[in-house]
Amino acid sequence: MATYVASPSLSFSSSSIFFSSSRITSKPPPCSAGILNRTLTIRSDLSTLPILSFSGEKVGDASLDLKSAPPDTARSVVHRGIIADQQNQRRGTASTLTRAEVSGGGKKPYQQKKTGRARRGSQRTPLRPGGGVVFGPRPRDWSIKINRKEKQLALSTAIASAVAAADAFVVEDFGKEFAGGPKTKEFVAAMRRWGLNPKEKAMFLMTEVPDNVMLSCRNIGTLKMLTPRTLNLFDILDSKKLVFTRPALEYLNSMYGLDAAQDEDQEEIS
């Protein structure tokens, strides 16, 4: 039985996507509504991914053609996307009380003079336990606005970077293999046949996750099983290997491919 062994992983910054030259430049026609003419630079990186069966044998190849940011702005686009995602998850409800808001402390604890002690006007001073907090956190809105296209570009750039570094591959649909019931041991064995180390972080992207598959992998702490609805930038960057199914690969090409970006530009111009 042949076993697929993935190539050594590369760092996010060392991926060839940040250093290769631009291949496609799309120039939208002038808009009659008075919008300034602009040149929209979109890079398209066509990559070929191996397709593995459930037994770990290579059964073919699949193409992934995603739009990505130019090399000089790719890192900043991805950085802005991940910072926006993380800050938008903050609730911003941390709150402390100042000395004016803490209850008590209305009476002067002792007289001003003739005690030999430092003067004190309230027991709720920040210098005393139970007193107010100086410059403590207050409720605030941490959210950052990021354009939808910029967020999509950051996500597709991160995926294209992992693909360029040979950290991604495609597997055939394996839901039927767990039709008899959830088996975590069998799922771990399948990961090893695909060249994945169960102790290293990996991300699976499936359009639909069967219940038995979810139950089989939920006890593997290093594995993230995502769908197009839950796909996010943090899990992509945090994972060492990316695994797609064929329907998921078609979704990525249709949602984050160059053709999808050009269609959106044409709709906005029209």
Side-chain angles (χ1 to χ4, degrees):
M1 180 182 299
T3 301
Y4 174 76
V5 179
S7 60
S9 61
L10 301 177
S11 62
F12 178 72
S13 60
S14 63
S15 175
S16 60
I17 192 173
F18 297 106
F19 304 101
S20 59
S21 59
S22 300
R23 186 163 67 88
I24 296 180
T25 301
S26 60
K27 297 182 179 180
C31 180
S32 58
I35 302 178
L36 295 178
N37 298 339
R38 68 186 188 277
T39 300
L40 181 61
T41 303
I42 299 178
R43 302 174 62 251
S44 175
D45 292 86
L46 180 62
S47 303
T48 301
L49 301 178
I51 302 177
L52 307 181
S53 63
F54 187 74
S55 60
E57 298 177 354
K58 183 177 179 180
V59 295
D61 295 313
S63 298
L64 182 64
D65 191 8
L66 298 181
K67 60 184 179 181
S68 59
D72 54 341
T73 60
R75 291 178 63 87
S76 60
V77 169
V78 174
H79 178 265
R80 175 172 167 79
I82 189 65
I83 292 300
D85 284 349
Q86 290 181 323
Q87 289 208 187
N88 291 342
Q89 293 178 3
R90 300 190 63 172
R91 299 179 62 183
T93 57
S95 180
T96 55
L97 301 179
T98 63
R99 63 179 299 167
E101 298 169 332
V102 178
S103 61
K107 179 182 178 181
K108 189 177 178 65
Y110 48 82
Q111 62 182 359
Q112 181 82 351
K113 298 180 181 295
K114 300 181 181 180
T115 61
R117 303 174 66 182
R119 53 191 176 187
R120 192 176 304 279
S122 172
Q123 285 289 81
R124 294 298 176 252
T125 172
L127 304 180
R128 299 283 297 176
V133 179
V134 182
F135 303 127
R138 306 293 292 178
R140 58 171 294 184
D141 182 13
W142 289 94
S143 62
I144 298 178
K145 181 185 180 300
I146 182 171
N147 295 333
R148 177 177 56 88
K149 285 187 177 182
E150 185 179 5
K151 184 176 181 179
Q152 291 180 349
L153 183 62
L155 195 146
S156 62
T157 300
I159 296 177
S161 174
V163 172
D167 290 338
F169 57 91
V170 182
V171 296
E172 291 186 325
D173 189 14
F174 51 88
K176 60 182 179 181
E177 303 294 339
F178 297 89
K183 292 290 184 179
T184 302
K185 184 177 181 180
E186 180 62 27
F187 196 93
V188 172
M191 292 179 62
R192 296 186 185 277
R193 290 194 297 268
W194 292 330
L196 299 176
N197 186 354
K199 295 184 179 180
E200 296 179 349
K201 294 182 178 181
M203 187 205 77
F204 280 70
L205 180 61
M206 304 178 64
T207 54
E208 295 183 2
V209 182
D211 293 338
N212 288 337
V213 174
M214 181 61 70
L215 294 176
S216 299
C217 68
R218 69 176 180 176
N219 203 31
I220 305 176
T222 58
L223 187 142
K224 289 286 186 178
M225 186 68 68
L226 304 181
T227 62
R229 182 181 179 87
T230 59
L231 182 63
N232 62 90
L233 188 59
F234 178 82
D235 287 331
I236 294 174
L237 298 178
D238 192 45
S239 301
K240 191 171 183 180
K241 298 292 182 181
L242 306 182
V243 184
F244 311 113
T245 59
R246 289 192 180 186
L249 197 69
E250 295 176 357
Y251 165 80
L252 292 177
N253 283 325
S254 62
M255 187 67 183
Y256 302 101
L258 183 64
D259 295 337
Q262 291 177 343
D263 292 342
E264 290 181 359
D265 293 335
Q266 294 297 335
E267 291 179 0
E268 290 185 357
I269 294 174
S270 58

